Amino acid sequence: MVNPVNIDPNQSSLLQPLHLLKEHPQLLQANRIVIGFSGGMDSTVLVHLLCSLRNSVALFPEIHVVHINHGLQISAVAWEIHCLSVCELLQVPLKILPVHVNLLGNESPEESARSARYAAFVGILRRGDLLLLAQHQDDQVETVLFRLIRGSGCKGLAGMPVQRPCGEGQLLRPMLHHTRTKLFEYASRNNLQWIEDKSNLDQHYDRNFLRQNIIPTLRIRWPGLAENIIRTALLCDEADTLLEELAAQDLTDATGPYRNRLQISLLTSLSKSRQRNLIRYWIATLQLEMGCATPGYKSLYRIVDEVIPATKDADPQVYWGKELARIGLRRYQGFLYLLKPLPVPPAEMLWETSKSLQLPFPLGSLHIVAALPGNSPPTDFPPATLRVCFRRGGELIQLRNRPTRLLKKILQEKSVPPWLRELIPLLYSGNKLIAVADLFMCDNNTRPTTENGWHIEWRRSELHCGY
């Protein structure tokens, strides 16, 4: 409930707390409001706006302010002290989170700091929380230009979204449609104090170079630059929404019971641009679960030009991403598989069958399960200990009423993907092969599960193993 407040019509263009609430009524539905606070002008304005709303609106959600200390500058401690003094004056709690920025990785210093910052935010958000960040319209202009220079598509040129999921909560940029001039006017009108980050003057950083050299020059020639770029971002966002709607329809037709594979026959019935649109969208739907990177322009073209049209006997592969985010696509028997890199299997593991056995990630785990749950304990348990090995070549297996054959041939007949054949657990009692995971039992060693009262269960994620 908002207390009645009269707003001067002559000040309708000014940034005011209740105007912000009118633009973003979801603020009142938040479990908690968490504000990212650097101590600079933009975030100082944001904290002051929200504290003003808290003081004038009944039942306003509790506010928590968070300052991220990247530890990259000697003035970091002074920033902490300043942020503490501001929050004490506004009577709002402040939490300081130190983070480690990896400057030795493949990301730029700005990207590494951003990754560390967002990871810290995600770690503290609860379900129903709103994380508020202070980006404004000038930041959006910089973002769109920067992405244009980097060759982004519609999604990138749409700029930063006003709201998106973030961990357990949602990220909201409530000032994204307001200019920095408006923020400065608000800060001056309310006698706010803030600190200036000297690194913002360092033109070694791309955004600073854009902000100080390129954008001012463009604005002299084209005074309506910001409005035009924002309009372009909105049009790109609209186009991206339409592309996602089309991809969602295609994805429904292209996937079956396994979400990490697409039917080649459906893909080849589409134009190449539509194939790329579908593949990009498909991977985006699995990105969070699989912890993978999204494919870039070159990877998408290789998938469409090399993997999809490959001959049946070929094994084309495209991988992208770095370290833990690395992922790739492979083709097998009419399907396109999205796969994380699989581990080198261990030589051997011992399994105490009274307990489950955890296999190397992402191979899941092995379990002994009673054939008839709820009945009396089975009378014929498996051996107390089994050896778990993996294919080295030349293994022989005898299935029911079948002659002894090479395991390799059986796996081919069962359509087990080639990348998984070396990673299927082989279960030995002594030197006798009694089972190949839960795919089949060896007839010369073990009676059917309906007779012995137990069976083996291999629990694994098809999102990682592809089978």
Side-chain angles (χ1 to χ4, degrees), residues 20 33 48 65 108 202 227 229 288 325 352 401 453:
L20 203 69
I33 291 176
H48 190 274
V65 178
S108 68
D202 186 353
E227 292 78 9
I229 289 177
L288 184 61
E352 295 181 21
N401 300 321

Side-chain angles (χ1 to χ4, degrees), residues 41 45 183-192 194:
M41 184 194 74
V45 168
L183 271 63
F184 181 78
E185 185 280 331
Y186 180 92
S188 301
R189 178 159 40 98
N190 289 277
N191 298 313
L192 302 185
W194 63 88

Side-chain angles (χ1 to χ4, degrees), residues 12-31:
S12 60
S13 64
L14 300 178
L15 180 60
Q16 298 187 59
L18 288 180
H19 284 165
L20 203 69
L21 182 59
K22 184 178 180 180
E23 293 170 355
H24 304 286
Q26 64 269 50
L27 289 168
L28 293 178
Q29 278 74 55
N31 174 39

Side-chain angles (χ1 to χ4, degrees), residues 60-73:
F60 197 77
E62 61 182 75
I63 298 174
H64 295 260
V65 178
V66 177
H67 174 75
I68 306 293
N69 185 343
H70 300 88
L72 297 177
Q73 300 190 41

Side-chain angles (χ1 to χ4, degrees), residues 73 79 196-203 205 208 212:
Q73 300 190 41
W79 293 352
E196 297 287 352
D197 184 354
K198 293 182 180 179
S199 68
N200 288 335
L201 302 176
D202 186 353
Q203 295 190 24
Y205 297 113
N208 293 345
Q212 296 173 41

